[in-house]
Amino acid sequence: MVRFNDIVDEILKYNPQADVPTLERAYIFSAQAHKGQTRLSGEPYLVHPLEVAYTLTKMNLDIPSVVSGLLHDTIEDSYVNKKEIEEYFGKEVAELVDGVTKIGQIPLKTSEDSRVENFRKMILATSKDIRVILIKLADRYHNMQTLNFLNSDRQVDIARETLEIYAPLAHRLGIEWIKGELEDEAFKYLHSLEYKTINTKIAKKKKERDAYIHEVIELLKSKFEQYELHAEVSGRAKRLYSIYRKMMLEKVELDDIYDLTAFRVKIDSVKECYLALGLIHSFFRPIPGKFSDFIALPKPNMYQSLHTKVVGPYGEKIEIQIRTHEMHKIAEEGIAAHWKYKEGRAFDPKEDKIFGWLRRVIESQQELKDNKEFMEVFKIDLFPDEIYVFTPKGDVKELPKGATAVDFAYAIHSQLGHKCVGAKVNGRLVPLRHELKSGDIIDIQTNPAHKPSKDWLGFVKTSRAKTKIRQWIKAEQRERSIELGKTLIEKELSKHDMSFSKMLKSGELLNIGKEFSFETVDDLFASVGYGLYTPLQVLSKVIPENEKPGKLKQIISSIKRSKDNAIKIQGVDGMVVRFAQCCNPIPGDTIFGFITRGRGLTIHAADCPNIHTYDEQRRIEVSWELNKGFTYPVKLKVLGDDRKGLLSDISSTMASNKVNIIGAQAMTNSDRTAAGIYEIEIGHMSQLQKVIKSIQKIKGVRSVERILGTV
């Protein structure tokens, strides 16, 4: 268990002038705020902020960061507010604590959209101060170590989020030791059987493995000494998740993986790194195609090292990394080794290459309104497998593995991407979807009249290319819709001898748009062009009653009588609404509306698999009006023992819950089980859940599930 003195000792190692009194005040403040609170483990809650602060000292962070680590849960989990923290510890610490608090305020077990909003908040907070994400990483690091005290569902949810988001973030920030720890802890809960199997087998061979590592280290040292090369050599077994990932990638068993050990050579200069590499290749046979030079071409997170795989003693494959002591510091600490707050200057992401990916994600957060698109972009930038290519002038561009000529064009400039019609790779013409390789020289061919294609989204790999293409397509679709809507409105007005140009100049069309909650006339035109409204609906107030067709009056009156008025549409009234039969949403389901030409608004459940087939431009926000008293058809599948009276008990239970059965099918199986499909009328999700729980309590019922769509 970490003590406060451990934090002080650790921080004084890298910052002898540290403001220890402020640390002490933060420790006392945190202890008072969390007094009487305990974690699920039964430990005093104060243990957690102490662990977080200690982890931040291992990152070599500044006093405000460590103080914020001690205070990071005080706003969320105690009576303390941001103003009090600012009074006691200053605005800088208050902003950091508030940033971390805002990230964690949305519970993990919420809808997918809420989880994405959580990540958006994290990126926004990070754009203001990178230390927010470092404190959050330290927080997640300790939470993963105590995950065993949560229920299994929470363990899996948190472990998955850790593996998908937090471990890659640690990697992107260059903090490899946290990345490795987070991956192994997540692996333990997501694939527990595989974790135990690999861990047990590795543990059984520990003595044998340790002896082999020692032998290789001594051999390397003796060879270096012969050439008066002063090197520090170490070795270790590879991490469990790294081994598992290799097994999955290569589709092999653990016994078929031979490079389970990695060795590291730390040396004084870059020149000596290459000398050491030559020596290693002279007495260990290198494996072709398994050498990477990250010194000449550093990774985006500043990582530099030479990587080589060789055949070691007894024919075993081993990996050796060669780097300077400074490179090793950066490899282990990442951004912390590059820290600038200790120089008394504010963080500026424009100064450092390491933050290029973060700038891209921040831009995406601002430009992409759709949550699914944002998460796609976010994950693309979190999981790069880099290649390095060149412009005709010799400038190096880093792209993800699998990137195409179009990705390269957008990496240079968005307009170059838009006008791209072809590419030469190493002097040879290639298709736009051609995948680039490290070392390629790319020359982009353009045409001023050319426009991006929607098909490009099927093969581009970079988040920048995807974002820019989608933005262009949406803008183009909007322009077309504006022109179409304008034409349709103008034609409708001409039928009634009304002047389109006069109404436009006088502002009458703008006033009509405002009645529909549109800010501009173009928004009004676009809504008609998209099919959101008909010209008659838009112009219904200015067209004389005697000139309105009877059909329109019938549609409006039928809408008013329809049960679909249980749907509330943001800024819209009087639309034809129908429910999608593929998911049959009911009040309580999260829903979306999609405009369909000639069919009005179709309502889908948020988890309906078919919503991905719709154009996002046609999606609008909708919500339930819960005071209408309507009912909706829901199908339930009940599986149980084939016993006498089961059907009667189920029917009685539904009746006692005041639910009307409008259809039922029953069948028996050879294994003496019975299955029934019941179509019932439900008013709200809470009522459905109550019915399901009641049926589950019936003797002999094995399972009850809701059926989406038709059976």
Side-chain angles (χ1 to χ4, degrees), residues 215-332:
E215 182 178 345
V216 173
I217 288 173
E218 292 304 313
L219 180 58
L220 286 170
K221 281 183 177 178
S222 65
K223 294 291 184 182
F224 291 150
E225 285 172 1
Q226 289 178 24
Y227 290 87
E228 298 182 352
L229 205 58
H230 303 291
E232 186 181 324
V233 185
S234 59
R236 60 171 177 80
K238 285 192 174 181
R239 288 190 174 272
L240 300 184
Y241 182 69
S242 176
I243 295 170
Y244 170 75
R245 192 166 49 192
K246 189 177 181 71
M247 289 168 59
M248 294 299 102
L249 187 66
E250 298 182 3
K251 295 181 173 57
V252 295
E253 297 298 319
L254 179 62
D255 294 337
D256 298 321
I257 296 180
Y258 299 102
D259 55 337
L260 294 176
T261 52
F263 296 86
R264 187 169 292 144
V265 175
K266 289 181 279 185
I267 213 155
D268 291 332
S269 68
V270 172
K271 180 181 177 181
E272 289 175 323
C273 287
Y274 289 99
L275 177 57
L277 176 70
L279 289 174
I280 290 169
H281 283 179
S282 70
F283 53 81
F284 286 151
R285 181 164 57 86
I287 299 171
K290 297 297 182 181
F291 167 68
S292 298
D293 187 343
F294 295 116
I295 292 180
L297 293 169
K299 289 189 176 185
N301 60 10
M302 302 186 305
Y303 178 88
Q304 287 184 289
S305 193
L306 299 176
H307 288 197
T308 186
K309 281 189 178 178
V310 299
V311 179
Y314 316 111
E316 184 163 341
K317 296 175 184 176
I318 57 175
E319 180 183 75
I320 303 176
Q321 301 170 354
I322 310 160
R323 61 181 67 148
T324 66
H325 294 286
E326 183 61 27
M327 289 173 189
H328 177 70
K329 184 179 179 184
I330 291 172
E332 289 299 299

Side-chain angles (χ1 to χ4, degrees), residues 538-571:
V538 167
L539 301 171
S540 62
K541 289 189 178 181
V542 295
I543 294 175
E545 281 293 326
N546 60 343
E547 294 185 23
K548 290 181 182 178
K551 189 177 179 182
L552 177 63
K553 294 177 183 177
Q554 290 171 12
I555 291 173
I556 293 172
S557 62
S558 68
I559 290 172
K560 289 178 180 177
R561 292 195 302 268
S562 169
K563 77 170 185 179
D564 300 338
N565 270 1
I567 295 295
K568 181 180 180 181
I569 307 166
Q570 289 188 3

